[in-house]
C-alpha cells in the first residue's frame, strides 16, 4: 500500500533529522521566535471563510500516481502566478521521496508572496509540526488515515498553540467522524483514494452532510473545470484545493481565472 510506504519513508527520514537537530532544539527555536513575534491571526482559516468559493492552489512537482508533473519547476514564479490570478492560499508539497518536494520550497514561496501557505506533507510526528512553524507556514495538512483520533486531537492542540491552522483530511465517513471528534475546524475530503489512487469527485459531495455547520469544508483532488467548481459550490463546499490541473496548464493564470468563474456568487 503506497500510503504505508510513504509513512515508513517519512519516519526513516525523521530518525535521521532528529539526530541532526533534536526535538528540544526545534522547540527552543520556536519559543525564541515566539518571543520576538506578535501572535499571528489565523490567516489561512480567514482566507477560506469568504462567501464565495475559496481557492487553495498547489505547487507540486510529482506524485506517485502521475509521475513527474512539472519537469520545469520555477516554484517562485508559480506562486506569484497563483497570487496574481486570485488564489486565496497556496499549498506546497514538501515530501521528498514520492512527490519530489522540499521544505525549502515552502520557505522560499512564503518569502515571495503575501498569501497564506499550507504545508502539504505526511505528518506522523509532532517534530514535523515544530518544523512546519519554523519553515514559516500558516497551516499544515493532517491526514486521518495516518493519525488516530487521540493523536489527531493532540496535534490539533499543538497546532493551535503554535499558531498554525490545520486542514484535516478525510476520505470516508469514519475518518470524517474522527476529524470532527478530534476538534477539527477545517475538514478536507480527498476525492483520491490514497490506497488505490482512483478519483471520484462525488466523494466530497456525498460526505458533505456529515460535517457540522461552523466547520469549513474543503474539496481536494480531481477538480479540473468551472463546472466542477459550480457543482461543489452548490453542494456547500467552502473551498477547493487544486494541484495537477493548474500545474499542467501552459497558462496557470488563465486556468485559475477560468476555474474561479464557476465559484462566483450568482
Amino acid at each position: 500500500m503506497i500510503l504505508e510506504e510513504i509513512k515508513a519513508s517519512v519516519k526513516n527520514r525523521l530518525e535521521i533529522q532528529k539526530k541532526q537537530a533534536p526535538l528540544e532544539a526545534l522547540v527552543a527555536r520556536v519559543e525564541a521566535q515566539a518571543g520576538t513575534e506578535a501572535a499571528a491571526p489565523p490567516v489561512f482559516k480567514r482566507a477560506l471563510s469568504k462567501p464565495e468559493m475559496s481557492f487553495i492552489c498547489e505547487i507540486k512537482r510529482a506524485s506517485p500516481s502521475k509521475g513527474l508533473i512539472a519537469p520545469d519547476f520555477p516554484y517562485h514564479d508559480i506562486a506569484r502566478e497563483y497570487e496574481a490570478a486570485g488564489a486565496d492560499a497556496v499549498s506546497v508539497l514538501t515530501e521528498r521521496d514520492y512527490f519530489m518536494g522540499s521544505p525549502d520550497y515552502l520557505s522560499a514561496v512564503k518569502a515571495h508572496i503575501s498569501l497564506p501557505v499550507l504545508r502539504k506533507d505526511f505528518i506522523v510526528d509532532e517534530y514535523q509540526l515544530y518544523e512546519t512553524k519554523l519553515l514559516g507556514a500558516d497551516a499544515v495538512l493532517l491526514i486521518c488515515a495516518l493519525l488516530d483520533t487521540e493523536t489527531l486531537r493532540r496535534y490539533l492542540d499543538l497546532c493551535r498553540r503554535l499558531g498554525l491552522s490545520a486542514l484535516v483530511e478525510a476520505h470516508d465517513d469514519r475518518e470524517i467522524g474522527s476529524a470532527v471528534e478530534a476538534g477539527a475546524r477545517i475538514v478536507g475530503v480527498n476525492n483520491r483514494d490514497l490506497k488505490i489512487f482512483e478519483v471520484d469527485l462525488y466523494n466530497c459531495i456525498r460526505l458533505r452532510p456529515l460535517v457540522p455547520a461552523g466547520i469549513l469544508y474543503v474539496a481536494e483532488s480531481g477538480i479540473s473545470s468551472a463546472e466542477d467548481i459550480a457543482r461543489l459550490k452548490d453542494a456547500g463546499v467552502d473551498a477547493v484545493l487544486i494541484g495537477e490541473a493548474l500545474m499542467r496548464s501552459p497558462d496557470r493564470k488563465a486556468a485559475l481565472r477560468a476555474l474561479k468563474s464557476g465559484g462566483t456568487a450568482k
Side-chain angles (χ1 to χ4, degrees):
M1 186 191 307
I2 189 65
L3 188 59
E4 290 302 317
E5 290 180 20
I6 296 174
K7 180 179 179 180
S9 173
V10 170
K11 286 191 170 184
N12 287 338
R13 183 177 293 279
L14 282 173
E15 289 303 313
I16 297 171
Q17 286 184 239
K18 287 177 180 180
K19 291 176 182 177
Q20 298 170 341
L23 174 62
E24 293 77 10
L26 266 64
V27 172
R29 288 175 60 193
V30 168
E31 290 176 348
Q33 184 184 76
T36 61
E37 292 182 351
V43 292
F44 181 80
K45 185 173 185 291
R46 189 167 67 245
L48 308 189
S49 300
K50 64 183 187 178
E52 297 167 347
M53 182 73 80
S54 297
F55 286 76
I56 309 165
C57 300
E58 189 155 274
I59 296 174
K60 174 168 64 174
R61 189 171 191 178
S63 77
S65 61
K66 300 294 184 178
L68 185 61
I69 295 170
D72 181 32
F73 192 61
Y75 50 94
H76 305 106
D77 294 337
I78 295 168
R80 286 190 288 257
E81 287 171 357
Y82 286 162
E83 184 169 38
D88 297 286
V90 170
S91 168
V92 180
L93 244 304
T94 60
E95 196 283 324
R96 302 169 189 266
D97 297 329
Y98 292 81
F99 290 84
M100 297 178 67
S102 169
D104 293 339
Y105 296 159
L106 189 148
S107 295
V109 164
K110 182 64 179 177
H112 281 77
I113 61 174
S114 61
L115 298 176
V117 176
L118 166 73
R119 182 188 187 184
K120 194 172 181 186
D121 209 316
F122 297 79
I123 303 299
V124 295
D125 193 299
E126 68 176 30
Y127 184 98
Q128 294 166 283
L129 298 178
Y130 286 98
E131 179 187 53
T132 299
K133 180 65 176 179
L134 291 170
L135 289 172
D138 302 287
V140 65
L141 181 75
L142 300 178
I143 301 175
C144 287
L146 295 174
L147 307 169
D148 61 43
T149 304
E150 185 52 40
T151 302
L152 185 57
R153 193 193 316 274
R154 288 194 295 106
Y155 286 8
L156 285 169
D157 180 63
L158 179 55
C159 283
R160 282 188 284 270
R161 288 188 277 123
L162 291 174
L164 294 169
S165 293
L167 171 58
V168 180
E169 179 177 290
H171 300 83
D172 56 31
D173 51 355
R174 183 190 64 79
E175 291 180 358
I176 289 280
S178 178
V180 172
E181 183 181 346
R185 305 313 302 163
I186 310 172
V187 171
V189 167
N190 196 334
N191 296 310
R192 176 174 286 110
D193 188 320
L194 291 184
K195 297 176 182 177
I196 58 176
F197 279 87
E198 291 183 359
V199 175
D200 176 13
L201 187 65
Y202 183 69
N203 192 43
C204 64
I205 296 174
R206 178 179 63 83
L207 294 173
R208 180 65 184 95
L210 301 182
V211 177
I215 298 177
L216 291 170
Y217 192 74
V218 181
E220 308 172 30
S221 298
I223 303 158
S224 60
S225 69
E227 290 74 23
D228 291 341
I229 300 295
R231 183 181 174 199
L232 295 171
K233 183 172 176 59
D234 288 344
V237 172
D238 298 300
V240 290
L241 192 156
I242 305 175
E244 186 178 347
L246 293 172
M247 288 300 303
R248 290 191 184 278
S249 174
D251 187 337
R252 296 185 184 93
K253 289 183 184 179
L256 178 53
R257 286 167 180 153
L259 287 167
K260 285 173 65 71
S261 70
T264 54
K266 298 292 190 288

